């Protein structure tokens, strides 16, 4: 019987009979047993070992470093420019890092599947009906969540990717760089945008800097179609490239956002619509650089003219996860100063403060009664094997066991906080939870967390995300649970999490966590305010949720520069 690897939900592309191997559960019909009339089927095992994750991460870093330089040279030649590599990295680096992560991870999965099913035939989406190249970086992020786009990625790799491409890890590389700043007397003013500060705090900081307050306004570049001839003319140095680099160079021609090539002139014209000055002294943002090509084109030009780029940490996960996200690596590479929420790792990294809770206070309410379980999003198409949690993981089983192990009286207080992005990146989880616990309160993910948490007696956070540092910063009683199957932490964080485990905050075993909740439920505050728990929380906050007495002055010192503030008498 012939076997087919199914990577598309378009069943019109499927064969009429045979053995179907689904690349993931997302390809299955609502009633999988209906397949048995025509097929036999199974879902492919695509989990990877810790060694495979490490090898993919190292290779991704190595390939990125090579492609980053080559793309800069190719785009300079195509546009008849002589911009620095940093200029192009500011513009394209966020896209390129994630593009490389995705494809290196897919190469590993393809190699494993071809080894498991030597004679299997690939069934993929119709390439004539789907776009490979996004219009811009924001469009790219949308496409990565699409089953059809991911199916085309597998199709492009199926006959070319092999285990040899990932057999040996890439060379170790630095993701931080020293940026030479040209001297200019024409720099003036400061631009703050999407800083992650609460809106009022951002406004007050801008007033203190003498800057004009601008509401966040995203300018979308024109959607320019692909010009295949222009892509053929891109020149890369493939002669000195490794086999895996050559493979990805070929794919860059097909997947490069049009805003960097065909639409680049229109992209630059769009800059003036933002109304930003040409050459500010400092630019400070914490997330706009991840998705906004028009903003990044302006930043790249300003940096060429000598403007200083200060990037702030985007949220949780940073500094804790064993494998830094594409965003963390990009930010460390392009920024002049990288402002973390406390931790430090390089000379360009500044141990700063948690931005999202500046000026906010948590009001203790005696009427709190809920046990709030905050969950992560589960991906149908994980962007890499070392970051996103796949739908096929044991994540839900872990949380289900936790919930069922709670006493019935506490179960009645349990409220689920589903990730707002779940319906975008994967299948809804409501039916799974209702099958496990028919009476569970599913909560309302559209209500701001700041309102929901006011009724929480205790919060359980089941992912390495922003909720943990924000809750610790505000003093909200919080527990953490995950396993190394879906969250691995870096060596610097291990002593801190060992301390959190020692005092009962962090649990890998869901049954142990349920017993701990039962033990403290009648007087959560007494446990949370105990000396050993307070000290453990302070240790965590010193690295991942730091605060200072005068946060706006602290940030102004970073943005303006300490030496200038001394001249102005502000220090």
């Amino acid at each position: 019987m012939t076997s087919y690897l199914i990577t598309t939900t378009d069943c019109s592309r499927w064969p009429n009979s045979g053995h179907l191997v689904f690349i993931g559960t997302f390809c299955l019909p609502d009633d999988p047993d209906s397949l048995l009339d025509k097929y036999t089927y199974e879902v492919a095992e695509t989990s990877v070992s810790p060694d495979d994750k490490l090898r993919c991460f190292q290779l991704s870093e190595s390939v990125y470093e090579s492609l980053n330089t080559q793309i800069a040279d190719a785009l300079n030649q195509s546009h008849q420019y002589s911009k620095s590599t940093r200029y192009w990295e500011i513009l394209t680096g966020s896209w390129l890092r994630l593009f490389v992560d995705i494809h290196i991870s897919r190469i590993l999965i393809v190699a494993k599947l071809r080894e498991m099913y030597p004679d299997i035939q690939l069934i993929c989406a119709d390439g004539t009906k789907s776009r490979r190249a996004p219009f811009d970086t924001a469009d790219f992020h949308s496409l990565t969540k699409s089953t059809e786009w991911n199916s085309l990625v597998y199709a492009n790799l199926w006959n070319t990717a092999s285990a040899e491409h990932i057999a040996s890890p890439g060379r170790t590389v630095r993701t931080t760089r020293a940026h030479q700043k040209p001297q200019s007397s024409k720099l003036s003013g400061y631009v703050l945008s999407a800083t992650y500060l609460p809106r009022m705090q951002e406004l007050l900081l801008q007033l203190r800097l003498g800057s004009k307050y601008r509401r966040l306004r995203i300018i979308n570049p024109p959607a320019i179609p692909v010009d295949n001839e222009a892509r053929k003319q891109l020149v890369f140095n493939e002669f000195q490239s490794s086999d895996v680099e050559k493979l990805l160079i070929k794919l860059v021609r097909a997947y490069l956002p049009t805003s960097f090539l065909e639409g680049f002139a229109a992209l630059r014209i769009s800059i003036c619509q933002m109304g930003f000055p040409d050459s500010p002294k400092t630019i400070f943002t914490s997330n706009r650089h991840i998705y906004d090509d028009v903003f990044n084109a302006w930043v790249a030009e300003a940096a060429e003219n000598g403007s200083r780029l200060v990037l702030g940490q985007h949220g949780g996960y940073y500094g804790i996860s064993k494998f830094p996200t594409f965003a963390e690596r990009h930010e460390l590479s392009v920024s002049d100063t990288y402002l973390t929420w406390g931790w430090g790792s390089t000379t360009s990294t500044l141990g700063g403060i948690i931005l999202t809770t500046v000026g906010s206070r948590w009001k203790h309410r005696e009427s709190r009664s809920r046990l709030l379980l905050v969950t992560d999003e589960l991906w149908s198409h994980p962007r890499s094997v070392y970051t996103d949690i796949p739908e096929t993981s044991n994540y839900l089983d872990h949380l289900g066991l936790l919930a069922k192990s709670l006493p019935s009286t506490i179960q009645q207080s349990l409220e689920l906080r589903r990730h707002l992005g779940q319906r975008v990146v994967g299948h809804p989880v409501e039916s799974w939870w209702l099958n496990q616990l028919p009476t569970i309160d599913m909560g309302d993910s559209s209500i701001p967390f700041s309102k929901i948490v006011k009724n929480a007696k205790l919060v359980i956070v089941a992912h390495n995300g922003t909720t943990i540092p924000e809750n610790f910063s505000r003093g909200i009683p919080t527990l953490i649970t995950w396993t190394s199957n879906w969250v691995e932490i870096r060596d610097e964080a291990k002593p801190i999490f060992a301390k959190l485990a020692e005092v009962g905050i962090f649990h890998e075993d869901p049954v142990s966590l349920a017993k701990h909740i039962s033990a403290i439920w009648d007087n959560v505050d007494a446990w949370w305010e105990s000396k050993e728990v307070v000290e453990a929380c302070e240790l965590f906050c010193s690295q991942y949720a730091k605060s200072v007495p005068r946060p706006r002055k602290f940030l102004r010192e970073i943005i303006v520069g300490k030496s200038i503030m001394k001249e102005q008498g502000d220090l």
Side-chain angles (χ1 to χ4, degrees):
M1 182 183 295
T2 304
S3 295
Y4 301 90
L5 179 65
I6 306 299
T7 64
T8 174
T9 55
D10 181 1
C11 58
S12 69
R13 307 277 295 175
W14 299 0
N16 292 321
S17 62
H19 181 67
L20 307 186
V21 180
F22 292 95
I23 193 101
T25 54
F26 59 88
C27 285
L28 289 170
D30 292 336
D31 179 14
D33 288 343
S34 65
L35 295 169
L36 298 177
D37 294 337
K38 298 172 61 177
Y39 312 102
T40 57
Y41 75 92
E42 63 180 295
V43 177
E45 173 57 63
T46 56
S47 61
V48 299
S49 69
D51 288 343
D52 283 339
K53 291 181 181 180
L54 179 59
R55 188 162 66 249
C56 275
F57 178 79
Q58 291 173 334
L59 181 58
S60 181
E61 286 290 87
S62 174
V63 170
Y64 171 83
E65 290 296 321
S66 174
L67 293 189
N68 179 50
T69 302
Q70 293 205 49
I71 285 177
D73 291 342
L75 291 176
N76 266 331
Q77 182 171 333
S78 176
H79 299 304
Q80 299 182 345
Y81 270 32
S82 57
K83 299 293 187 182
S84 67
T85 300
R86 187 195 182 201
Y87 173 95
W88 292 110
E89 186 173 21
I90 289 172
L91 180 58
T92 68
S94 173
W95 162 78
L96 180 60
R97 282 193 186 273
L98 185 52
F99 173 83
V100 173
D101 281 0
I102 288 171
H103 283 79
I104 294 297
S105 292
R106 300 295 188 272
I107 289 172
L108 171 63
I109 292 172
V110 166
K112 287 173 63 70
L113 291 174
R114 290 182 69 87
E115 182 180 352
M116 293 166 61
Y117 308 97
D119 300 319
I120 200 167
Q121 296 182 29
L122 180 72
I123 303 298
C124 63
D126 185 348
T128 64
K129 297 180 179 178
S130 302
R131 289 186 296 121
R132 287 176 170 83
F135 296 125
D136 52 39
T137 302
D139 187 34
F140 170 69
H141 285 295
S142 296
L143 288 177
T144 61
K145 303 174 181 69
S146 159
T147 294
E148 303 313 295
W149 185 87
N150 279 278
S151 178
L152 296 180
V153 171
Y154 283 113
N156 284 132
L157 295 173
W158 187 249
N159 293 318
T160 52
S162 68
E164 285 71 26
H165 283 125
I166 53 170
S168 59
R171 59 189 180 277
T172 302
V173 294
R174 286 170 55 87
T175 57
T176 55
R177 318 185 199 284
H179 304 301
Q180 299 298 320
K181 307 298 292 183
Q183 299 297 316
S184 174
S185 59
K186 297 181 179 180
L187 301 179
S188 63
Y190 307 93
V191 172
L192 281 63
S193 184
T195 62
Y196 243 36
L197 287 166
R199 182 177 295 179
M200 180 56 67
Q201 296 297 321
E202 184 174 302
L203 171 60
L204 292 172
L205 179 58
Q206 287 182 316
L207 291 174
R208 192 74 179 89
L209 290 166
S211 299
K212 179 181 178 182
Y213 178 73
R214 296 177 175 85
R215 294 181 67 88
L216 182 62
R217 178 169 172 255
I218 305 300
I219 306 299
N220 294 315
I224 306 298
V226 167
D227 181 343
N228 289 319
E229 287 303 315
R231 291 174 179 248
K232 290 177 183 178
Q233 296 302 314
L234 289 172
V235 177
F236 295 96
N237 184 13
E238 298 183 54
F239 179 74
Q240 296 182 345
S241 300
S242 66
D243 287 344
V244 69
E245 289 167 359
K246 291 177 181 176
L247 173 57
L248 263 69
I249 286 170
K250 179 181 178 181
L251 295 174
V252 162
R253 295 183 190 276
Y255 287 86
L256 183 73
T258 61
S259 59
F260 304 152
L261 185 61
E262 297 90 345
F264 182 66
L267 174 69
R268 285 178 51 80
I269 292 172
S270 300
I271 291 175
C272 63
Q273 297 180 46
M274 291 193 301
F276 286 155
D278 292 336
S279 302
K281 293 179 181 178
T282 303
I283 301 164
F284 174 38
T285 186
S286 292
N287 68 0
R288 195 166 179 178
H289 56 287
I290 298 299
Y291 57 84
D292 190 338
D293 285 352
V294 176
F295 177 78
N296 284 335
W298 168 75
V299 171
E301 194 65 45
E304 291 283 279
N305 295 330
S307 297
R308 185 163 149 263
L309 179 58
V310 178
L311 295 180
Q313 180 174 325
H314 177 67
Y317 198 96
Y318 286 67
I320 296 176
S321 172
K322 178 179 179 178
F323 300 108
T325 64
F326 77 94
E328 181 181 329
R329 286 172 277 147
H330 173 66
E331 290 155 6
L332 284 168
S333 184
V334 302
S335 60
D336 294 295
T337 300
Y338 187 57
L339 185 64
T340 73
W341 287 3
W343 58 277
S345 62
T346 68
T347 55
S348 68
T349 302
L350 179 63
I353 59 174
I354 179 169
L355 299 169
T356 54
T357 61
V358 170
S360 65
R361 296 177 182 177
W362 186 63
K363 296 180 180 179
H364 187 94
R365 295 175 59 176
E366 296 297 334
S367 60
R368 295 171 295 133
S369 61
R370 309 298 287 167
L371 175 61
L372 188 61
L373 176 56
V374 182
T375 65
D376 203 358
E377 53 191 357
L378 303 179
W379 291 70
S380 294
H381 313 284
R383 294 166 296 181
S384 75
V385 296
Y386 39 79
T387 52
D388 301 326
I389 304 176
E391 287 181 333
T392 52
S393 72
N394 66 342
Y395 183 85
L396 289 177
D397 294 331
H398 178 96
L399 297 187
L401 180 56
L402 163 63
K404 290 180 178 179
S405 300
L406 292 168
S408 58
T409 53
I410 300 179
Q411 278 187 17
Q412 294 171 8
S413 300
L414 183 63
E415 179 179 345
L416 198 62
R417 177 68 177 184
R418 291 158 292 145
H419 198 290
L420 196 58
Q422 180 60 51
R423 289 180 175 271
V424 178
V425 305
H427 284 90
V429 296
E430 291 87 347
S431 59
W432 187 93
W433 277 104
L434 291 172
N435 285 334
Q436 301 295 312
L437 293 167
T439 60
I440 191 171
D441 183 347
M442 296 300 297
D444 186 347
S445 298
S446 65
I447 299 176
F449 181 77
S450 58
K451 292 184 178 181
I452 296 294
V453 77
K454 290 179 180 179
N455 297 317
K457 184 176 183 178
L458 184 61
V459 179
I460 308 168
V461 182
H463 65 105
N464 183 13
T466 306
T467 308
I468 297 173
E470 287 186 342
N471 277 15
F472 276 52
S473 173
R474 293 183 171 120
I476 299 173
T478 299
L479 299 169
I480 305 168
T481 184
W482 61 58
T483 75
S484 58
N485 289 337
W486 21 281
V487 175
E488 294 183 78
I489 61 176
R490 61 190 70 174
D491 290 342
E492 297 89 338
K494 288 179 179 178
I496 294 175
F497 277 83
K499 186 65 177 177
L500 296 180
E502 181 183 313
V503 301
I505 293 176
F506 175 66
H507 294 258
E508 288 195 77
D509 180 359
V511 176
S512 166
L513 174 55
K515 290 179 180 178
H516 179 66
I517 293 170
S518 181
I520 67 173
W521 185 250
D522 288 339
N523 198 343
V524 169
D525 290 343
W527 166 77
W528 183 250
E529 295 167 3
S530 64
K531 182 175 181 291
E532 62 272 16
V533 172
V534 169
E535 289 176 350
C537 290
E538 289 175 346
L539 177 63
F540 178 91
C541 289
S542 69
Q543 294 297 308
Y544 306 116
K546 188 177 179 180
S547 60
V548 294
R550 299 177 63 186
R552 292 196 300 277
K553 180 183 177 183
F554 175 84
L555 292 172
R556 182 170 182 264
E557 181 178 323
I558 294 167
I559 295 166
V560 173
K562 193 170 184 178
S563 60
I564 296 176
M565 288 185 69
K566 282 184 177 180
E567 293 174 6
Q568 296 174 345
D570 287 345
L571 285 179

